[in-house]
Amino acid sequence: MNYAKALQAVEQLMMETVESEVEVLRDASRHILAAGGKRMRPRMTLLAYEAVGGTDMDAVLPVAAAVELVHTATLVHDDINDHGLMRRGRQTINAIWGRTFALLTGDFLFTKVYTLMAPYGDLNVIFAQMTSELVEGETLQAAAAKEGKLNREIYARIIAKKTASLFAGAAKLGAKLGNGTPQQVEALYQYGFHLGLAFQIVDDILDLIADSQRLGKTAGLDLAQGKGFAVAVAGNGHGTTVAVAEEPTEDAGAALKRKLLEGNYIQEGRQQARQLAALAKQQLESLPPSAARDELARLTEAAVEREY
Amino acid sequence: MNYAKALQAVEQLMMETVESEVEVLRDASRHILAAGGKRMRPRMTLLAYEAVGGTDMDAVLPVAAAVELVHTATLVHDDINDHGLMRRGRQTINAIWGRTFALLTGDFLFTKVYTLMAPYGDLNVIFAQMTSELVEGETLQAAAAKEGKLNREIYARIIAKKTASLFAGAAKLGAKLGNGTPQQVEALYQYGFHLGLAFQIVDDILDLIADSQRLGKTAGLDLAQGKGFAVAVAGNGHGTTVAVAEEPTEDAGAALKRKLLEGNYIQEGRQQARQLAALAKQQLESLPPSAARDELARLTEAAVEREY
């Protein structure tokens, strides 16, 4: 099975995994899964596996699917907390089915991750660690936003936990399963970690500058809620205090956005992201040449140069 | 280590497991854990382990802790969905820290369950299955309440999934880990399943007749929200239509409560619970005599005769 086929197989497996006699859980799960997404995390698991010489793609599919499902579970719960109405170009689960069912669908996806990971013994330790960090990162973000205390340092901790740990773990899991050497496993972990940081900074910038339609989700929410890169840099070291609205409103978002676009923040963010992506790419030098390694390199560029 | 010491060790392990540099996650987790509870599920895991001849209590502690943590995670999320203000005699996490942090604390507990279960290989399959059913049961309940379509049949499905599957799984996990014979494992599974059904029926009755202070949680919520045993039996086969309020109010609850107390429902429920508990107890006959078996028998009585 080649990489493209494997990516399709991951989609198929996720759809099968969320089968349930409870219709709303199945329908809501499939609703968000069918909306697609960049699938960065399962891509990394599959490619890391191949890059260290793994050949039995079937063996890695459940792990790749689990990584994407745990990410999806947190998106569903994020949309509840952020009152998000659009996600991946579709209405969010909370917008369609309401908060209660959105919360339960997220929980359901969490439980299905256990099902997929059950056969993988020790890999569960890595999986548990990264998932736990992810939730810690989300919580740090919510706490910083609530207290209006987001700054560069806290922002760095937040994105390391909420995004980079899952990217790093996704790559590490693939590398471990493919029987990579300890050096290769570490290199792919570092690759994922740096790429995750870069990816999140770009995500936050796009939240600021892209429009909702292109982005496929409600734009400007982070800003209005006191989250993200722009708030972090503008709220610290620049003498700018960013007031945070209790509930996101058009006005608060628009005013903050104007303020931030006037500064140099967007360019600074893109620049930081490029540096981090370059660090990610460097890690690949310790791997033998392969189509998978090339694709991992390509991902570092795609992640930072994207416009949505 | 004896049973009493093991129960204490489970408490200790849970407290350690929820350690986090993110204070709100640690504090909120410890807040609900420190409030105690009946610990029915970890009791069953520990006792099932001993009842089939398991002797290394240390080996079963993480599984018992995981079982209680997954239960606790769902309680935290339930309290969000039900707007519950009291739980185990304390304010709920959502009442103190707000909905966002309550949701994240529940997610955090879910991830910590992975951490505890990671070393247990195949047992994760059982664990994943029961956790998934638990969430399905919660969802069936929310759907039935929303549609006002709760009846005896749907109620039976709900409690089988949301409560009995976790009780059954908790006992089965202990029995498997203690190297019980297939017959013993099945007997303990059936024990837990029937006890779980009995326990939930009594819980629902207590929600109706006990006062909040004694119960340690807001009483009457199920009723006002169109859930639980009383609604199921009154809404079907008795010609009574139970109107369900969108949000729980004192008046709606009081009116429904009066209606239900006039019927024979409480007595009927207690009677059903006693029958189910007796079925649970019967399963224990296939086990060799032991202090653990006696304690399991005692639990069947305690579960149905309790007043809070």
Side-chain angles (χ1 to χ4, degrees):
Chain A
M1 194 188 303
N2 64 23
Y3 172 59
K5 283 246 167 76
L7 270 175
Q8 280 177 8
V10 167
E11 297 297 321
Q12 177 74 19
L13 179 55
M14 290 195 294
M15 285 294 187
E16 286 167 16
T17 301
V18 300
E19 175 60 85
S20 170
E21 60 172 302
V22 181
E23 288 170 21
V24 58
L25 292 175
R26 183 196 60 207
D27 294 347
S29 297
R30 291 188 176 169
H31 171 81
I32 177 130
L33 289 173
K38 300 174 198 74
R39 305 301 195 226
M40 291 294 289
R41 297 155 189 83
R43 281 173 195 277
M44 267 182 288
T45 303
L46 297 174
L47 290 170
Y49 177 80
E50 285 197 313
V52 301
T55 52
D56 178 14
M57 283 297 240
D58 282 321
V60 73
L61 297 179
V63 179
V67 165
E68 184 66 13
L69 281 188
V70 88
H71 169 59
T72 306
T74 61
L75 293 185
V76 173
H77 282 176
D78 277 0
D79 286 334
I80 298 173
N81 283 339
D82 298 348
H83 310 274
L85 300 177
M86 290 280 287
R87 169 74 71 183
R88 293 175 174 170
R90 293 189 165 200
Q91 279 194 285
T92 55
I93 294 177
N94 44 302
I96 300 175
W97 283 277
R99 268 204 332 256
T100 295
F101 291 115
L103 197 157
L104 290 164
T105 300
D107 287 355
F108 177 68
L109 293 172
F110 268 121
T111 69
K112 287 302 174 183
V113 169
Y114 290 75
T115 308
L116 288 168
M117 286 302 295
Y120 286 93
D122 286 353
L123 293 191
N124 278 286
V125 180
I126 300 167
F127 201 97
Q129 173 72 15
M130 74 187 190
T131 309
S132 194
E133 287 195 13
L134 201 175
V135 176
E136 287 182 333
E138 298 275 355
T139 307
L140 282 176
Q141 175 174 275
K146 190 182 177 190
E147 295 161 16
K149 283 187 181 168
L150 188 61
N151 60 31
R152 285 166 191 270
E153 192 193 329
I154 295 172
Y155 177 75
R157 278 179 69 207
I158 289 170
I159 68 172
K161 279 184 177 277
K162 85 163 188 172
T163 311
S165 76
L166 191 53
F167 272 63
K172 183 175 180 173
L173 287 167
K176 287 277 246 187
L177 204 56
N179 285 316
T181 66
Q183 289 74 17
Q184 290 174 331
V185 170
E186 179 62 18
L188 282 160
Y189 178 88
Q190 292 296 338
Y191 161 87
F193 190 80
H194 289 96
L195 182 57
L197 294 175
F199 185 86
Q200 188 59 53
I201 291 171
V202 173
D203 232 48
D204 288 349
I205 290 173
L206 292 173
D207 179 75
L208 190 66
I209 61 173
D211 58 47
S212 299
Q213 199 179 357
R214 188 115 193 244
L215 217 51
K217 61 185 172 187
T218 313
L221 264 186
D222 283 354
L223 187 60
Q225 294 177 349
K227 296 175 188 167
F229 177 80
V231 177
V233 295
N236 185 53
H238 287 76
T240 319
T241 303
V242 178
V244 176
E246 270 291 301
E247 296 282 326
T249 64
E250 277 296 306
D251 288 347
L256 285 165
K257 188 170 172 176
R258 209 171 31 252
K259 206 172 199 171
L260 287 159
L261 289 175
E262 283 163 12
N264 201 26
Y265 309 127
I266 308 299
Q267 223 177 327
E268 180 193 331
R270 283 266 186 202
Q271 198 47 41
Q272 272 195 28
R274 282 194 196 99
Q275 280 170 11
L276 288 161
L279 287 172
K281 202 171 170 181
Q282 269 178 30
Q283 296 289 335
L284 301 175
E285 288 169 15
S286 61
L287 299 170
S290 69
R293 192 184 73 165
D294 293 346
E295 182 63 18
L296 286 167
R298 209 191 56 74
L299 279 185
T300 65
E301 280 146 35
V304 290
E305 302 307 336
R306 69 201 164 99
E307 297 295 334
Y308 59 92
Chain B
M1 194 187 301
N2 65 23
Y3 172 59
K5 283 246 167 74
L7 270 175
Q8 279 176 10
V10 168
E11 296 297 321
Q12 178 74 19
L13 180 55
M14 290 195 293
M15 284 296 186
E16 286 167 16
T17 301
V18 300
E19 176 59 85
S20 170
E21 59 173 300
V22 181
E23 289 170 20
V24 58
L25 293 175
R26 183 196 59 207
D27 294 348
S29 298
R30 289 187 177 170
H31 170 82
I32 176 132
L33 288 173
K38 299 172 199 76
R39 305 302 195 226
M40 290 295 289
R41 296 154 190 83
R43 281 174 196 276
M44 266 183 289
T45 303
L46 298 174
L47 291 170
Y49 178 80
E50 286 197 313
V52 300
T55 53
D56 178 15
M57 281 300 237
D58 281 321
V60 71
L61 297 179
V63 178
V67 164
E68 184 66 11
L69 281 188
V70 86
H71 169 59
T72 306
T74 61
L75 293 184
V76 173
H77 282 177
D78 276 1
D79 285 335
I80 299 173
N81 284 338
D82 296 349
H83 310 274
L85 299 177
M86 290 280 286
R87 168 73 72 181
R88 294 174 174 172
R90 293 189 164 200
Q91 278 191 284
T92 56
I93 294 177
N94 45 303
I96 299 175
W97 283 276
R99 266 205 330 256
T100 294
F101 291 116
L103 197 157
L104 289 164
T105 300
D107 287 355
F108 177 68
L109 293 171
F110 267 120
T111 71
K112 287 301 175 185
V113 169
Y114 291 74
T115 308
L116 288 168
M117 287 301 296
Y120 287 93
D122 287 353
L123 293 191
N124 278 286
V125 180
I126 300 167
F127 202 96
Q129 171 73 15
M130 76 186 189
T131 310
S132 194
E133 287 194 15
L134 201 174
V135 176
E136 288 182 332
E138 297 276 355
T139 308
L140 282 176
Q141 176 175 276
K146 189 181 177 192
E147 294 162 17
K149 283 187 179 168
L150 189 62
N151 60 32
R152 285 165 192 269
E153 191 192 331
I154 295 172
Y155 177 76
R157 277 180 69 206
I158 289 171
I159 68 172
K161 277 184 176 278
K162 84 163 188 170
T163 311
S165 76
L166 191 52
F167 273 63
K172 183 176 179 174
L173 287 167
K176 286 278 244 188
L177 204 56
N179 286 316
T181 65
Q183 288 74 18
Q184 290 174 331
V185 171
E186 178 63 19
L188 282 160
Y189 179 88
Q190 292 296 339
Y191 162 85
F193 190 80
H194 289 96
L195 182 57
L197 294 175
F199 185 87
Q200 188 58 53
I201 291 171
V202 172
D203 233 47
D204 289 347
I205 290 173
L206 291 173
D207 179 76
L208 189 68
I209 61 171
D211 59 51
S212 298
Q213 199 180 357
R214 187 114 192 246
L215 216 51
K217 61 185 173 187
T218 312
L221 264 186
D222 283 353
L223 186 60
Q225 293 176 349
K227 296 176 189 168
F229 177 80
V231 177
V233 295
N236 185 54
H238 287 74
T240 318
T241 303
V242 178
V244 176
E246 270 292 300
E247 296 283 323
T249 65
E250 278 295 306
D251 288 348
L256 284 167
K257 187 170 171 175
R258 208 171 33 252
K259 207 172 198 172
L260 287 160
L261 289 175
E262 285 164 11
N264 202 26
Y265 309 128
I266 309 299
Q267 221 177 328
E268 179 193 330
R270 283 268 186 202
Q271 197 48 40
Q272 272 195 28
R274 282 195 196 101
Q275 280 170 11
L276 288 162
L279 287 173
K281 202 171 171 182
Q282 270 178 30
Q283 295 289 336
L284 301 175
E285 288 168 16
S286 60
L287 298 170
S290 70
R293 191 184 74 164
D294 292 347
E295 183 62 18
L296 286 167
R298 209 190 57 74
L299 279 186
T300 64
E301 278 147 35
V304 291
E305 302 307 335
R306 69 200 166 99
E307 297 296 332
Y308 58 92

